[in-house]
């Protein structure tokens, strides 16, 4: 099953007097990788949360499925786990897989679930850490586990909010390879990302948002060296230093 397309018509989002998103009308094509970029505070995460129905907005957002409604996976920017909490990586995955307390599961079924959970952890390079406590992992390792958790239902639409936050180079490469595999399977991926070089490697469609939709198109057309500074400084007095430096170095 191919992933859905997503259409937005005159989408606005406002908190009090603060206009977060303004008059965005756009379509994200089905079965492709789409990366939302832009300066800090430009509304990127708010756009994703609006598409997921997690925050109120005005206008219309529609997810168009090819034949039947598919499944949606979501990886938040980060999660916080107490280091003292006796919740292992495997426990976390099994809880999300079964949706029932672990001690309610029959051992036979739990064994099957463990095998499937290990497969997903292996896809993000975390199978060998299955017995580690979630709170003892680095932020980047936790992100990789969250990614594995999002794959449990084999989603047709996967929404990622800064999926490589806190990751080392190995973790970034694992996720890039996995994203390419998922797109090759016909899934639709929508991600907020800040790393210009990483987005270029993905060969994604890039959509630059800073309250409004500033630019959109293939990565080679949008993230040209001469356009990066202008795009990420549009309608903003403060630009992300990391974004600016990466663009200048391109």
């Amino acid at each position: 099953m191919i992933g859905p397309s997503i259409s937005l018509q005159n989408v606005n989002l406002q908190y009090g007097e603060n206009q977060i998103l303004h008059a965005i009308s756009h379509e994200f094509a089905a079965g492709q990788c789409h990366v939302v970029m832009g300066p800090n505070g430009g509304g990127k995460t708010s756009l994703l949360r609006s598409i997921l129905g997690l925050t109120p907005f005005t206008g219309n957002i529609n997810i168009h499925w090819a034949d039947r409604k598919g499944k949606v996976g979501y990886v938040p920017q980060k999660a916080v786990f107490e280091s003292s909490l006796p919740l292992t990586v495997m426990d976390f995955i099994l809880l999300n897989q079964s949706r029932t307390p672990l001690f309610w599961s029959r051992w036979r079924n739990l064994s099957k679930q463990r095998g499937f959970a290990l497969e997903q952890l292996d896809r993000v390079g975390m199978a060998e850490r299955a017995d580690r406590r979630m709170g003892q992992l680095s932020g980047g390792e936790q992100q990789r586990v969250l990614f594995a958790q999002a794959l449990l239902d084999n989603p047709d639409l996967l929404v990622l909010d800064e999926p490589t936050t806190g990751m080392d180079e190995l973790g970034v490469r694992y996720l890039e390879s996995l994203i390419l595999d998922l797109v090759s399977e016909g899934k639709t991926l929508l991600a907020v990302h800040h790393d210009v070089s990483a987005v270029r490697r993905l060969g994604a469609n890039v959509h630059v948002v800073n309250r409004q939709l500033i630019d959109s198109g293939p990565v080679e057309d949008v993230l040209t060296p001469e356009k990066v500074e202008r795009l990420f400084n549009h309608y903003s007095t403060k630009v992300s230093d990391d974004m600016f430096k990466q663009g200048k170095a391109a």
Side-chain angles (χ1 to χ4, degrees), residues 118-233:
L118 278 174
E119 290 178 10
Q120 308 315 309
L121 288 170
D122 188 57
R123 297 180 78 179
V124 298
M126 289 296 293
E128 294 182 356
R129 291 175 171 81
D131 294 328
R132 293 281 300 276
R133 290 187 180 185
M134 286 294 295
Q136 294 175 337
L137 301 178
S138 68
E141 289 173 332
Q142 290 178 357
Q143 283 299 108
R144 289 158 74 175
V145 175
L146 290 174
F147 202 116
Q149 178 268 324
L151 298 176
L152 291 173
D153 286 334
N154 190 26
D156 306 289
L157 169 61
L158 190 57
V159 180
L160 315 170
D161 189 2
E162 297 280 10
T164 60
T165 298
M167 282 189 191
D168 59 15
E169 186 64 22
L170 179 62
V172 170
R173 295 294 182 166
Y174 261 110
L175 260 62
E176 287 178 1
S177 177
L178 182 52
I179 287 172
L180 293 173
D181 287 345
L182 294 170
V183 174
S184 71
E185 296 170 8
K187 301 181 186 302
T188 302
L189 272 79
L190 180 60
V192 167
H193 215 313
H194 69 276
D195 189 328
V196 172
S197 298
V199 174
R200 286 186 177 130
R201 290 195 298 268
L202 288 173
N205 299 298
V206 177
H207 315 271
V208 182
V209 172
N210 191 357
R211 295 196 289 276
Q212 297 176 319
L213 181 66
I214 306 304
D215 199 1
S216 177
V219 62
E220 62 270 17
D221 294 339
V222 176
L223 296 185
T224 60
E226 60 272 14
K227 291 175 68 174
V228 167
E229 181 179 349
R230 176 178 61 83
L231 288 173
F232 299 125
N233 199 28

Side-chain angles (χ1 to χ4, degrees), residues 8-182:
L8 295 80
Q9 292 90 34
N10 195 34
V11 171
N12 293 270
L13 175 59
Q14 187 167 343
Y15 294 130
E17 298 297 319
N18 190 14
Q19 186 79 36
I20 308 299
L21 300 173
H22 176 66
I24 295 182
S25 295
H26 192 55
E27 180 160 346
F28 299 97
Q32 299 182 21
C33 180
H34 300 278
V35 174
V36 178
M37 305 187 77
N40 288 344
K44 304 182 297 297
T45 292
S46 295
L47 179 62
L48 261 59
R49 290 179 59 82
S50 297
I51 291 172
L52 290 168
L54 298 177
T55 193
F57 61 89
T58 60
N60 293 293
I61 297 177
N62 293 291
I63 299 177
H64 306 282
W65 302 97
D67 47 12
R68 58 178 175 79
K69 184 176 180 179
K71 297 177 179 178
V72 179
Y74 174 52
V75 180
Q77 186 171 0
K78 63 180 179 178
V80 178
F81 298 91
E82 289 291 335
S83 59
S84 60
L85 184 67
L87 180 73
T88 68
V89 170
M90 179 59 72
D91 291 338
F92 177 75
I93 295 294
L94 289 175
L95 282 169
N96 283 279
Q97 184 176 344
S98 66
R99 271 69 170 183
T100 59
L102 295 178
F103 57 82
W104 287 3
S105 301
R106 296 180 179 177
W107 282 108
R108 181 169 52 187
N109 292 336
L110 189 58
S111 178
K112 292 181 180 179
Q113 291 172 354
R114 283 181 183 276
F116 182 69
L118 278 174
E119 290 178 10
Q120 308 315 309
L121 288 170
D122 188 57
R123 297 180 78 179
V124 298
M126 289 296 293
E128 294 182 356
R129 291 175 171 81
D131 294 328
R132 293 281 300 276
R133 290 187 180 185
M134 286 294 295
Q136 294 175 337
L137 301 178
S138 68
E141 289 173 332
Q142 290 178 357
Q143 283 299 108
R144 289 158 74 175
V145 175
L146 290 174
F147 202 116
Q149 178 268 324
L151 298 176
L152 291 173
D153 286 334
N154 190 26
D156 306 289
L157 169 61
L158 190 57
V159 180
L160 315 170
D161 189 2
E162 297 280 10
T164 60
T165 298
M167 282 189 191
D168 59 15
E169 186 64 22
L170 179 62
V172 170
R173 295 294 182 166
Y174 261 110
L175 260 62
E176 287 178 1
S177 177
L178 182 52
I179 287 172
L180 293 173
D181 287 345
L182 294 170

